[in-house]
Coordinates of all heavy atoms in Angstrom, one line a residue:
M25 N 0.8 -1.2 0.0 CA 0.0 0.0 0.0 C 0.9 1.3 0.0 O 0.5 2.2 -0.7 CB -0.9 0.0 1.2 CG -1.9 1.1 1.3 SD -3.0 1.0 -0.1 CE -4.1 2.3 0.3
T26 N 1.9 1.3 0.8 CA 2.8 2.5 0.8 C 3.5 2.7 -0.5 O 3.8 3.8 -0.9 CB 3.8 2.3 1.9 OG1 4.6 1.2 1.7 CG2 3.2 2.3 3.3
A27 N 3.8 1.7 -1.3 CA 4.4 1.8 -2.6 C 3.4 2.5 -3.5 O 3.8 3.4 -4.3 CB 4.8 0.5 -3.2
F28 N 2.1 2.2 -3.4 CA 1.1 2.9 -4.2 C 1.0 4.3 -3.9 O 0.9 5.2 -4.8 CB -0.2 2.2 -4.1 CG -1.3 2.9 -4.9 CD1 -1.4 2.8 -6.2 CD2 -2.3 3.6 -4.2 CE1 -2.4 3.4 -7.0 CE2 -3.3 4.3 -4.9 CZ -3.3 4.2 -6.3
V29 N 1.0 4.7 -2.6 CA 0.9 6.1 -2.2 C 2.1 6.8 -2.6 O 2.0 8.0 -3.1 CB 0.7 6.1 -0.6 CG1 0.8 7.6 -0.1 CG2 -0.6 5.5 -0.2
A30 N 3.3 6.2 -2.5 CA 4.5 6.9 -3.0 C 4.5 7.1 -4.5 O 4.8 8.2 -5.0 CB 5.8 6.1 -2.6
F31 N 4.0 6.1 -5.2 CA 3.9 6.3 -6.7 C 2.9 7.4 -7.0 O 3.2 8.2 -7.9 CB 3.5 5.0 -7.3 CG 3.2 5.1 -8.8 CD1 4.3 5.2 -9.7 CD2 1.9 5.1 -9.3 CE1 4.0 5.3 -11.0 CE2 1.7 5.3 -10.6 CZ 2.7 5.4 -11.5
A32 N 1.8 7.4 -6.4 CA 0.8 8.4 -6.6 C 1.3 9.8 -6.3 O 1.1 10.8 -7.1 CB -0.5 8.1 -5.8
L33 N 2.0 10.0 -5.2 CA 2.6 11.2 -4.9 C 3.6 11.7 -5.9 O 3.6 12.9 -6.4 CB 3.3 11.2 -3.5 CG 3.9 12.5 -3.0 CD1 2.8 13.5 -2.8 CD2 4.5 12.2 -1.7
Y34 N 4.5 10.8 -6.4 CA 5.4 11.1 -7.4 C 4.7 11.5 -8.7 O 5.1 12.4 -9.4 CB 6.4 10.0 -7.7 CG 7.5 9.9 -6.6 CD1 7.7 8.7 -5.9 CD2 8.4 11.0 -6.4 CE1 8.7 8.6 -5.0 CE2 9.4 10.9 -5.4 CZ 9.5 9.7 -4.7 OH 10.5 9.6 -3.8
A35 N 3.7 10.8 -9.1 CA 3.0 11.0 -10.3 C 2.3 12.4 -10.2 O 2.4 13.2 -11.2 CB 1.9 10.0 -10.5
V36 N 1.8 12.8 -9.1 CA 1.1 14.1 -9.0 C 2.2 15.2 -9.1 O 2.0 16.2 -9.8 CB 0.4 14.3 -7.6 CG1 0.0 15.7 -7.3 CG2 -0.8 13.4 -7.6
V37 N 3.4 15.0 -8.5 CA 4.4 16.0 -8.6 C 4.9 16.1 -10.0 O 5.1 17.3 -10.5 CB 5.6 15.6 -7.6 CG1 6.8 16.5 -7.9 CG2 5.2 15.8 -6.2
V38 N 5.1 15.0 -10.7 CA 5.6 15.1 -12.1 C 4.5 15.8 -13.0 O 4.9 16.7 -13.8 CB 5.9 13.7 -12.6 CG1 6.0 13.6 -14.1 CG2 7.1 13.1 -12.0
V39 N 3.3 15.5 -12.8 CA 2.2 16.1 -13.7 C 2.2 17.6 -13.4 O 2.1 18.4 -14.3 CB 0.9 15.4 -13.4 CG1 -0.3 16.3 -14.0 CG2 0.9 14.1 -14.0
L40 N 2.2 18.0 -12.1 CA 2.2 19.5 -11.8 C 3.4 20.2 -12.3 O 3.3 21.3 -12.9 CB 2.0 19.7 -10.3 CG 0.7 19.2 -9.7 CD1 0.7 19.4 -8.2 CD2 -0.5 20.0 -10.4
C41 N 4.6 19.6 -12.3 CA 5.8 20.2 -12.8 C 5.8 20.3 -14.3 O 6.2 21.4 -14.9 CB 7.0 19.5 -12.3 SG 7.3 19.6 -10.5
L42 N 5.3 19.3 -15.0 CA 5.2 19.4 -16.4 C 4.2 20.4 -16.8 O 4.4 21.1 -17.8 CB 4.8 18.0 -17.0 CG 5.9 17.0 -17.1 CD1 5.4 15.6 -17.5 CD2 7.0 17.4 -18.0
H43 N 3.1 20.5 -16.1 CA 2.1 21.5 -16.4 C 2.6 22.9 -16.3 O 2.4 23.7 -17.2 CB 0.9 21.3 -15.5 CG -0.2 22.4 -15.6 ND1 -0.2 23.3 -16.6 CD2 -1.3 22.6 -14.9 CE1 -1.2 24.1 -16.5 NE2 -1.9 23.7 -15.4
A44 N 3.4 23.2 -15.2 CA 4.0 24.5 -15.0 C 5.0 24.8 -16.1 O 5.0 25.9 -16.7 CB 4.7 24.5 -13.7
F45 N 5.8 23.8 -16.5 CA 6.8 24.0 -17.6 C 6.1 24.3 -18.9 O 6.5 25.3 -19.6 CB 7.7 22.7 -17.7 CG 8.9 22.9 -18.5 CD1 10.0 23.5 -18.0 CD2 8.9 22.5 -19.9 CE1 11.1 23.7 -18.8 CE2 10.0 22.7 -20.7 CZ 11.1 23.3 -20.1
V46 N 5.1 23.5 -19.3 CA 4.4 23.8 -20.6 C 3.6 25.1 -20.5 O 3.6 25.8 -21.5 CB 3.4 22.6 -20.9 CG1 2.5 22.9 -22.0 CG2 4.2 21.3 -21.1
D47 N 3.1 25.4 -19.4 CA 2.3 26.7 -19.2 C 3.3 27.9 -19.4 O 3.0 28.8 -20.1 CB 1.7 26.7 -17.8 CG 0.8 28.0 -17.7 OD1 0.1 28.3 -18.6 OD2 0.8 28.6 -16.6
C48 N 4.5 27.8 -18.9 CA 5.5 28.8 -19.0 C 5.9 29.0 -20.5 O 6.0 30.1 -21.0 CB 6.7 28.5 -18.2 SG 8.0 29.8 -18.2
V49 N 6.1 27.9 -21.2 CA 6.5 27.9 -22.6 C 5.4 28.6 -23.4 O 5.7 29.4 -24.3 CB 6.8 26.5 -23.1 CG1 7.0 26.5 -24.6 CG2 8.1 26.0 -22.4
R50 N 4.2 28.3 -23.1 CA 3.0 28.7 -24.0 C 2.6 30.1 -23.6 O 1.8 30.8 -24.3 CB 1.9 27.8 -23.9 CG 2.2 26.4 -24.5 CD 1.1 25.5 -24.5 NE 0.1 26.1 -25.4 CZ -1.1 25.7 -25.6 NH1 -1.6 24.7 -24.8 NH2 -1.9 26.2 -26.4
T51 N 3.0 30.7 -22.4 CA 2.6 32.0 -22.0 C 3.2 33.1 -22.8 O 4.5 33.1 -23.0 CB 2.9 32.2 -20.5 OG1 2.2 31.2 -19.8 CG2 2.5 33.6 -20.0
P52 N 2.5 34.1 -23.3 CA 3.1 35.2 -24.1 C 4.0 36.0 -23.2 O 3.8 36.1 -22.0 CB 1.9 36.0 -24.5 CG 0.7 35.3 -24.2 CD 1.0 34.2 -23.3
D53 N 5.1 36.5 -23.8 CA 6.1 37.3 -23.0 C 5.5 38.5 -22.3 O 6.0 38.9 -21.2 CB 7.2 37.8 -23.9 CG 8.1 36.6 -24.4 OD1 8.1 35.6 -23.7 OD2 8.7 36.8 -25.5
S54 N 4.4 39.0 -22.8 CA 3.7 40.2 -22.1 C 3.1 39.8 -20.8 O 2.9 40.7 -20.0 CB 2.7 40.8 -23.1 OG 1.6 39.8 -23.3
R55 N 2.9 38.5 -20.5 CA 2.3 38.1 -19.2 C 3.3 37.6 -18.2 O 2.9 37.3 -17.1 CB 1.2 37.1 -19.5 CG 0.0 37.6 -20.1 CD -1.1 36.6 -20.2 NE -1.5 36.1 -18.9 CZ -2.2 35.0 -18.7 NH1 -2.6 34.3 -19.7 NH2 -2.5 34.6 -17.5
V56 N 4.6 37.5 -18.6 CA 5.6 37.0 -17.7 C 6.1 38.1 -16.8 O 6.4 39.2 -17.3 CB 6.8 36.4 -18.5 CG1 7.9 35.9 -17.6 CG2 6.3 35.2 -19.4
R57 N 6.1 37.9 -15.5 CA 6.5 38.9 -14.5 C 7.8 38.5 -13.8 O 8.2 37.4 -13.8 CB 5.4 39.1 -13.5 CG 4.1 39.5 -14.0 CD 3.1 39.8 -12.9 NE 2.9 38.6 -12.1 CZ 2.1 38.6 -11.0 NH1 1.5 39.6 -10.6 NH2 1.9 37.4 -10.4
H58 N 8.5 39.5 -13.3 CA 9.6 39.5 -12.4 C 10.9 39.0 -13.1 O 12.0 39.5 -12.8 CB 9.3 38.7 -11.2 CG 8.2 39.2 -10.4 ND1 8.2 40.4 -9.8 CD2 7.0 38.7 -10.1 CE1 7.1 40.6 -9.2 NE2 6.3 39.6 -9.4
L59 N 10.9 37.9 -13.9 CA 12.1 37.4 -14.5 C 11.8 37.1 -16.0 O 10.7 36.9 -16.4 CB 12.5 36.1 -13.8 CG 13.0 36.1 -12.4 CD1 13.1 34.7 -11.8 CD2 14.2 36.9 -12.2
P60 N 12.9 37.1 -16.8 CA 12.7 36.6 -18.2 C 12.2 35.2 -18.3 O 12.5 34.4 -17.4 CB 14.0 36.8 -18.8 CG 14.8 37.7 -17.9 CD 14.2 37.5 -16.6
K61 N 11.5 34.8 -19.3 CA 10.9 33.5 -19.4 C 12.0 32.4 -19.4 O 11.8 31.4 -18.8 CB 10.2 33.4 -20.8 CG 9.4 32.1 -20.8 CD 8.7 31.9 -22.2 CE 7.6 32.8 -22.4 NZ 6.8 32.4 -23.6
A62 N 13.2 32.7 -20.0 CA 14.3 31.7 -20.0 C 14.7 31.4 -18.5 O 15.0 30.2 -18.2 CB 15.4 32.2 -20.8
I63 N 14.8 32.4 -17.7 CA 15.2 32.2 -16.3 C 14.1 31.4 -15.6 O 14.4 30.5 -14.8 CB 15.4 33.5 -15.6 CG1 16.5 34.3 -16.3 CG2 15.8 33.3 -14.1 CD1 17.8 33.6 -16.4
W64 N 12.8 31.6 -15.8 CA 11.8 30.8 -15.2 C 11.9 29.4 -15.6 O 11.7 28.5 -14.8 CB 10.4 31.4 -15.6 CG 9.9 32.6 -14.8 CD1 9.8 33.8 -15.3 CD2 9.6 32.6 -13.4 NE1 9.4 34.6 -14.2 CE2 9.3 33.9 -13.1 CE3 9.6 31.6 -12.4 CZ2 8.9 34.3 -11.8 CZ3 9.3 32.0 -11.1 CH2 8.9 33.3 -10.8
L65 N 12.1 29.1 -16.9 CA 12.3 27.8 -17.4 C 13.5 27.1 -16.7 O 13.4 25.9 -16.3 CB 12.4 27.7 -18.9 CG 11.1 28.1 -19.6 CD1 11.4 28.3 -21.1 CD2 10.0 27.1 -19.4
L66 N 14.6 27.8 -16.6 CA 15.8 27.3 -15.9 C 15.5 27.0 -14.5 O 15.9 25.9 -14.0 CB 16.9 28.2 -16.1 CG 18.3 27.8 -15.5 CD1 18.8 26.6 -16.3 CD2 19.3 28.9 -15.6
L67 N 14.8 27.8 -13.8 CA 14.4 27.6 -12.4 C 13.5 26.4 -12.3 O 13.7 25.6 -11.4 CB 13.7 28.8 -11.9 CG 13.2 28.8 -10.4 CD1 14.4 28.7 -9.5 CD2 12.3 30.0 -10.1
M68 N 12.6 26.2 -13.2 CA 11.7 25.0 -13.1 C 12.5 23.7 -13.5 O 12.1 22.7 -13.0 CB 10.5 25.2 -14.1 CG 9.5 26.1 -13.5 SD 8.0 26.1 -14.6 CE 8.3 27.6 -15.5
F69 N 13.5 23.9 -14.3 CA 14.3 22.7 -14.6 C 15.2 22.3 -13.4 O 15.4 21.1 -13.1 CB 15.2 23.0 -15.8 CG 16.0 21.8 -16.3 CD1 15.4 20.7 -16.9 CD2 17.4 21.8 -16.1 CE1 16.1 19.6 -17.3 CE2 18.1 20.7 -16.5 CZ 17.5 19.6 -17.1
M70 N 15.8 23.3 -12.7 CA 16.7 23.1 -11.6 C 16.0 22.7 -10.3 O 16.5 21.8 -9.6 CB 17.6 24.3 -11.4 CG 18.4 24.7 -12.6 SD 19.6 23.4 -13.1 CE 20.8 23.6 -11.9
A71 N 14.9 23.3 -10.1 CA 14.1 23.0 -8.8 C 12.7 22.8 -9.3 O 11.9 23.8 -9.1 CB 14.3 24.1 -7.8
P72 N 12.3 21.7 -9.8 CA 10.9 21.5 -10.4 C 9.8 21.9 -9.5 O 8.9 22.7 -9.9 CB 10.9 20.1 -10.8 CG 12.3 19.6 -10.8 CD 13.0 20.4 -9.8
V73 N 9.7 21.4 -8.2 CA 8.6 21.7 -7.4 C 8.6 23.2 -7.0 O 7.6 23.9 -7.1 CB 8.6 20.8 -6.1 CG1 7.5 21.2 -5.2 CG2 8.5 19.4 -6.6
L74 N 9.7 23.7 -6.5 CA 9.8 25.1 -6.1 C 9.6 26.0 -7.3 O 8.9 27.0 -7.2 CB 11.1 25.4 -5.4 CG 11.3 26.8 -4.9 CD1 10.3 27.1 -3.8 CD2 12.7 27.0 -4.4
G75 N 10.2 25.7 -8.4 CA 10.0 26.5 -9.6 C 8.6 26.5 -10.1 O 8.1 27.6 -10.5
G76 N 7.9 25.4 -10.1 CA 6.5 25.4 -10.5 C 5.6 26.2 -9.6 O 4.7 26.9 -10.1
I77 N 5.8 26.1 -8.3 CA 5.0 26.9 -7.3 C 5.3 28.3 -7.5 O 4.4 29.2 -7.5 CB 5.3 26.4 -5.9 CG1 4.8 25.0 -5.7 CG2 4.7 27.4 -4.9 CD1 5.2 24.3 -4.4
A78 N 6.6 28.7 -7.7 CA 7.0 30.1 -7.9 C 6.4 30.7 -9.2 O 5.9 31.8 -9.2 CB 8.5 30.3 -7.9
W79 N 6.4 29.9 -10.2 CA 5.8 30.3 -11.5 C 4.3 30.6 -11.3 O 3.8 31.6 -11.8 CB 6.0 29.2 -12.6 CG 5.2 29.5 -13.8 CD1 4.1 28.8 -14.2 CD2 5.4 30.5 -14.8 NE1 3.6 29.3 -15.4 CE2 4.4 30.4 -15.7 CE3 6.3 31.6 -14.9 CZ2 4.2 31.2 -16.8 CZ3 6.2 32.4 -16.0 CH2 5.2 32.2 -16.9
R80 N 3.6 29.7 -10.6 CA 2.2 29.8 -10.5 C 1.8 31.1 -9.7 O 0.9 31.8 -10.0 CB 1.6 28.5 -9.7 CG 0.3 28.6 -9.2 CD -0.8 28.7 -10.3 NE -2.1 28.7 -9.7 CZ -2.8 29.8 -9.3 NH1 -2.2 30.9 -9.4 NH2 -4.0 29.6 -8.8
N81 N 2.6 31.4 -8.6 CA 2.3 32.5 -7.7 C 2.9 33.8 -8.1 O 2.4 34.8 -7.8 CB 2.7 32.1 -6.3 CG 1.8 31.0 -5.8 OD1 0.6 30.9 -6.1 ND2 2.4 30.1 -5.0
L82 N 4.1 33.8 -8.7 CA 4.8 35.0 -9.0 C 5.1 35.3 -10.5 O 5.1 36.5 -10.9 CB 6.2 35.0 -8.3 CG 6.2 34.8 -6.8 CD1 7.6 34.6 -6.3 CD2 5.5 36.0 -6.1
G83 N 5.2 34.3 -11.3 CA 5.7 34.5 -12.6 C 4.7 34.9 -13.7 O 5.0 35.6 -14.6
K84 N 3.5 34.3 -13.6 CA 2.5 34.5 -14.6 C 1.6 35.6 -14.2 O 0.9 35.5 -13.2 CB 1.8 33.2 -14.9 CG 0.8 33.3 -16.0 CD 0.2 32.0 -16.3 CE -0.7 32.0 -17.5 NZ -1.3 30.7 -17.7
G85 N 1.5 36.7 -15.0 CA 0.6 37.8 -14.8 C -0.8 37.4 -15.1 O -1.1 36.4 -15.8
P86 N -1.8 38.2 -14.6 CA -3.2 37.9 -14.9 C -3.5 38.1 -16.4 O -2.8 38.9 -17.1 CB -3.9 39.0 -14.0 CG -2.9 40.1 -13.8 CD -1.6 39.4 -13.8
A87 N -4.5 37.4 -16.8 CA -4.9 37.5 -18.2 C -5.5 38.9 -18.4 O -6.1 39.5 -17.6 CB -6.0 36.5 -18.5
Q88 N -5.3 39.4 -19.6 CA -5.9 40.7 -20.0 C -7.4 40.5 -20.2 O -7.8 39.6 -20.9 CB -5.3 41.2 -21.3 CG -3.8 41.4 -21.3 CD -3.4 42.4 -20.3 OE1 -4.1 43.4 -20.0 NE2 -2.2 42.3 -19.7
P89 N -8.2 41.4 -19.6 CA -9.6 41.2 -19.8 C -10.0 41.5 -21.2 O -9.5 42.3 -21.9 CB -10.2 42.3 -18.9 CG -9.1 43.3 -18.7 CD -7.8 42.5 -18.8
S90 N -10.9 40.6 -21.7 CA -11.3 40.8 -23.1 C -12.2 42.1 -23.2 O -13.0 42.4 -22.3 CB -12.1 39.6 -23.6 OG -13.3 39.4 -22.7
P91 N -12.1 42.8 -24.3 CA -12.9 44.0 -24.4 C -14.4 43.6 -24.5 O -14.8 42.7 -25.1 CB -12.4 44.6 -25.8 CG -11.7 43.5 -26.5 CD -11.2 42.5 -25.4
Q92 N -15.2 44.5 -23.9 CA -16.6 44.3 -23.9 C -17.2 44.6 -25.2 O -16.8 45.7 -25.8 CB -17.3 45.1 -22.8 CG -16.8 44.8 -21.4 CD -17.3 43.4 -21.0 OE1 -18.4 43.0 -21.4 NE2 -16.6 42.7 -20.1
P93 N -18.1 43.8 -25.7 CA -18.7 44.2 -27.0 C -19.5 45.5 -26.9 O -20.1 45.7 -25.8 CB -19.6 43.0 -27.4 CG -19.8 42.3 -26.1 CD -18.6 42.6 -25.2
A94 N -19.6 46.2 -27.9 CA -20.3 47.5 -27.9 C -21.8 47.2 -27.7 O -22.3 46.3 -28.4 CB -20.1 48.3 -29.1
Q95 N -22.4 47.9 -26.8 CA -23.9 47.7 -26.6 C -24.6 48.6 -27.5 O -24.4 49.8 -27.5 CB -24.2 47.9 -25.2 CG -23.6 46.9 -24.2 CD -24.1 47.1 -22.8 OE1 -24.9 48.0 -22.5 NE2 -23.6 46.2 -21.9
H96 N -25.5 48.1 -28.3 CA -26.3 48.9 -29.2 C -27.5 49.4 -28.5 O -28.3 48.6 -27.9 CB -26.6 48.1 -30.5 CG -25.4 47.6 -31.2 ND1 -24.6 48.5 -32.0 CD2 -24.8 46.4 -31.3 CE1 -23.6 47.8 -32.5 NE2 -23.7 46.5 -32.1
T97 N -27.8 50.6 -28.6 CA -29.0 51.2 -28.0 C -29.9 51.7 -29.2 O -29.4 52.1 -30.2 CB -28.7 52.4 -27.1 OG1 -28.0 53.3 -27.8 CG2 -27.9 51.9 -25.9
R98 N -31.1 51.5 -29.0 CA -32.0 51.9 -30.0 C -32.6 53.3 -29.7 O -33.0 53.5 -28.6 CB -33.2 50.9 -30.1 CG -34.0 51.1 -31.4 CD -34.7 49.8 -31.7 NE -36.1 49.9 -31.3 CZ -36.9 48.9 -31.4 NH1 -36.6 47.8 -31.9 NH2 -38.2 49.1 -31.0
D99 N -32.5 54.2 -30.7 CA -33.0 55.5 -30.5 C -34.5 55.5 -30.7 O -35.0 55.2 -31.8 CB -32.4 56.5 -31.4 CG -32.8 57.9 -31.2 OD1 -33.3 58.2 -30.1 OD2 -32.6 58.8 -32.0
C100 N -35.3 55.8 -29.7 CA -36.7 55.8 -29.8 C -37.3 57.2 -29.9 O -38.5 57.4 -29.6 CB -37.3 55.1 -28.5 SG -36.8 53.4 -28.4
G101 N -36.5 58.1 -30.3 CA -37.0 59.5 -30.5 C -37.5 60.1 -29.2 O -38.4 60.9 -29.2
G102 N -36.8 59.8 -28.0 CA -37.2 60.4 -26.8 C -38.4 59.8 -26.1 O -38.8 60.2 -25.0
Q103 N -38.9 58.7 -26.7 CA -40.1 58.1 -26.1 C -39.6 57.0 -25.1 O -38.5 56.4 -25.3 CB -40.9 57.4 -27.1 CG -41.5 58.4 -28.1 CD -42.3 57.7 -29.2 OE1 -42.2 56.5 -29.4 NE2 -43.0 58.5 -30.0
T104 N -40.3 56.7 -24.1 CA -40.0 55.6 -23.2 C -40.5 54.3 -23.9 O -41.2 54.3 -24.9 CB -40.7 55.7 -21.9 OG1 -42.1 55.7 -22.1 CG2 -40.3 57.0 -21.2
L105 N -40.0 53.2 -23.3 CA -40.4 51.9 -23.9 C -41.9 51.6 -23.8 O -42.5 51.0 -24.7 CB -39.6 50.8 -23.2 CG -38.2 50.6 -23.5 CD1 -37.5 49.5 -22.7 CD2 -38.0 50.3 -25.0
A106 N -42.5 52.2 -22.8 CA -44.0 52.0 -22.7 C -44.7 52.7 -23.8 O -45.8 52.3 -24.2 CB -44.5 52.5 -21.3
Q107 N -44.1 53.8 -24.3 CA -44.8 54.5 -25.3 C -44.5 54.0 -26.7 O -45.2 54.3 -27.7 CB -44.3 56.0 -25.3 CG -44.7 56.7 -24.0 CD -44.1 58.1 -23.9 OE1 -43.1 58.3 -24.6 NE2 -44.7 58.9 -23.1
V108 N -43.5 53.1 -26.8 CA -43.2 52.6 -28.2 C -44.0 51.5 -28.5 O -44.6 50.7 -28.3 CB -41.7 52.2 -28.2 CG1 -41.3 51.5 -29.5 CG2 -40.8 53.4 -28.0

């Protein structure tokens, strides 16, 4: 049973580290904070768990909000909706 728990723990760590690494590679340079992307990748390669956690909390900036679509208003000639 302990071998299964150890394997599951290692599997979770590997998946999370790979996710952080791929996320860093695919993130646009405009969203990378504090360090250049190459340094983040090197940090994740040298210290996978710490690098992945640091990337998640410090390295990736928030997503840019998408612009709101223009709301079209209908000109009713000064009349209220009840009058139209």
Side-chain angles (χ1 to χ4, degrees):
M25 183 67 175
T26 58
F28 176 73
V29 173
F31 175 76
L33 183 61
Y34 283 123
V36 167
V37 168
V38 167
V39 167
L40 292 176
C41 292
L42 284 175
H43 174 8
F45 191 82
V46 170
D47 186 41
C48 182
V49 168
R50 295 187 65 192
T51 300
D53 289 336
S54 62
R55 288 187 61 195
V56 177
R57 299 186 297 178
H58 302 296
L59 295 171
K61 190 187 287 192
I63 302 297
W64 280 113
L65 293 171
L66 183 64
L67 180 67
M68 282 188 260
F69 183 73
M70 299 300 284
V73 175
L74 182 63
I77 292 170
W79 168 253
R80 166 68 175 88
N81 294 322
L82 301 172
K84 186 176 184 180
Q88 300 296 331
S90 59
Q92 297 292 330
Q95 294 184 0
H96 300 286
T97 57
R98 193 158 99 181
D99 185 18
C100 297
Q103 298 175 349
T104 63
L105 285 177
Q107 296 171 337
V108 174

